[in-house]
Amino acid sequence: MNDRLDLVAIGNAIVDVVAMVDEDFLETNGVEKGVMTLVDQQRAAALYSAMPLTAEISGGSAANTAAGAAAIGAKAGFIGKVKDDQLGRVFARDIRQIGVHYDGPIAAQGASSDTSQCLVVVSPDGERSMSTYLGASIGLIAEDVDTELLQRADWLYLEGYLFDTPQAKAAYSRAIWAVKKGGGKASVTLSDPFCVDRHRDDFRRLISGEMDLLFANKAEILSLYQTDDIEAALTAVAADVEAAAITMSENGAVVVRGDQRTEVPARQVEVIDTTGAGDLFAAGFLAGLAEGADDARCAAMGCAAAAEVISQLGARPEADLKEVMATL
């Protein structure tokens, strides 16, 4: 019996709570239209209570990547912290139904922070306004990392968004040690230029010292190397890490591996909502690695998965991703 996993992702375990609302709801509840606002536990609870009938879906950047890879056919796992509360149970049930291995960690009911949540209200014009409560997910510590699970993984995928706290960095170090002890490799996504600005030196050390694969978009890689010249950034990253997969928006993606570059065009679709584009690119790329595909096919799979998610509302593609990949 082969009990290995193709990948295990680690990141914020967030429940996306999505509701359709009218313009009056935004004004009445003080929701700023079209932006993401960080909120505290009290504000999240009040807004959750005010929202109409909702859809509740397991979310978070790395969780979206694990779910996308599983939808393509990879054996995926996820590590992210929730509380033993209603939304924590929603998160666990939903991500398992998708086919992702998930065992928590789960904070006790008496823990001070509730399960993390992103409260998304969609107005009649399709605009998404998000109120995010980071909650229990940012409490991930080294002891929460399932080292036995990671020693069975071919790839570890780390989310840059969770890199803010010293305890999360310790958890990442433990995860990297575990996956490599089991013969696997490690990857990280930079997640956002603001993450890079806060942790540039730490990211540079992590990438050049312990990572086998870097995921980033153009803005993130330019920020990492503090340059406006994409060619200079690509040359620099080639010297720092074995491989880097860089998304270039409508220009597709480029994979840099030493002195080799592989460019793949983007799929032409009508862009409805770019939420989850980078998450699904990584999902397709990692699923390609699980198949033993070369860089060109991995990047094409990433671009195809990203195209599906940006052509609809929300961070989880509605299309059958296995069927999409069969067309490549």
Side-chain angles (χ1 to χ4, degrees):
M1 176 181 176
N2 182 6
D3 61 353
R4 289 194 66 83
L5 294 171
D6 295 314
L7 70 131
V8 173
I10 302 180
N12 288 309
I14 301 175
V15 176
D16 292 333
V17 182
V18 186
M20 305 296 295
V21 301
D22 55 26
E23 297 288 345
D24 289 342
F25 180 93
L26 302 179
E27 183 175 354
T28 300
N29 291 279
V31 177
E32 187 175 356
K33 186 173 181 178
V35 301
M36 191 283 285
T37 304
L38 290 176
V39 299
D40 61 19
Q41 189 167 340
Q42 184 176 4
R43 168 65 171 158
L47 189 56
Y48 179 81
S49 297
M51 290 171 69
L53 188 64
T54 60
E56 297 176 340
I57 309 162
S58 61
S61 175
N64 290 335
T65 295
I72 295 169
K75 295 178 181 178
F78 176 72
I79 296 173
K81 198 164 196 173
V82 298
K83 182 179 178 179
D84 183 14
D85 56 14
Q86 177 191 347
L87 289 181
R89 290 185 285 275
V90 167
F91 182 93
R93 181 179 66 249
D94 183 71
I95 200 166
R96 288 169 183 157
Q97 286 178 344
I98 294 166
V100 176
H101 176 95
Y102 178 70
D103 284 331
I106 300 173
Q109 289 185 355
S112 59
S113 297
D114 292 338
T115 293
S116 305
Q117 51 207 263
C118 182
L119 306 172
V120 184
V121 291
V122 184
S123 45
D125 58 1
E127 193 76 63
R128 293 162 60 88
S129 307
M130 296 176 282
S131 301
T132 302
Y133 165 61
L134 292 177
S137 67
I138 60 173
L140 186 78
I141 60 176
E143 289 75 15
D144 292 327
V145 173
D146 186 342
T147 57
E148 291 185 3
L149 179 71
L150 283 162
Q151 287 178 50
R152 296 192 284 116
D154 290 338
W155 279 96
L156 167 66
Y157 176 79
L158 299 172
E159 173 187 319
Y161 283 125
L162 193 57
F163 209 60
D164 271 328
T165 64
Q167 64 262 28
K169 291 176 184 176
Y172 279 9
S173 293
R174 182 177 170 90
I176 294 164
W177 167 83
V179 75
K180 296 204 169 185
K181 182 179 181 183
K185 294 185 174 184
S187 66
V188 65
T189 174
L190 296 182
S191 291
D192 190 286
F194 293 112
C195 290
V196 179
D197 290 341
R198 290 195 297 271
H199 306 292
R200 183 175 292 106
D201 291 343
D202 283 342
F203 274 136
R204 289 287 301 272
R205 283 191 291 269
L206 182 71
I207 291 161
S208 62
E210 300 180 279
M211 291 297 103
D212 300 287
L213 173 61
L214 171 69
F215 291 97
N217 63 27
K218 182 179 179 180
E220 293 157 4
I221 201 71
L222 291 176
S223 176
L224 183 68
Y225 292 102
Q226 295 179 283
T227 180
D228 294 326
D229 184 348
I230 188 61
E231 284 299 317
L234 293 177
T235 299
V237 76
D240 278 352
V241 67
E242 179 182 335
I246 311 301
T247 56
M248 311 284 282
S249 300
E250 69 276 8
N251 293 320
V254 56
V255 183
V256 180
R257 189 182 296 274
D259 59 0
Q260 297 181 348
R261 292 190 189 177
T262 304
E263 297 184 15
V264 174
R267 282 201 162 190
Q268 300 304 308
V269 296
E270 180 184 2
V271 178
I272 303 298
D273 178 8
T274 59
T275 304
D279 305 337
L280 269 295
F281 175 83
F285 196 98
L286 290 165
L289 289 176
E291 294 179 358
D294 61 14
D295 287 341
R297 178 164 175 82
C298 287
M301 290 175 68
C303 287
E308 291 299 327
V309 80
I310 67 175
S311 63
Q312 57 162 68
L313 283 174
R316 297 281 175 83
E318 297 169 359
D320 185 327
L321 290 182
K322 288 182 180 178
E323 291 184 359
V324 172
M325 299 306 156
T327 67
L328 297 179

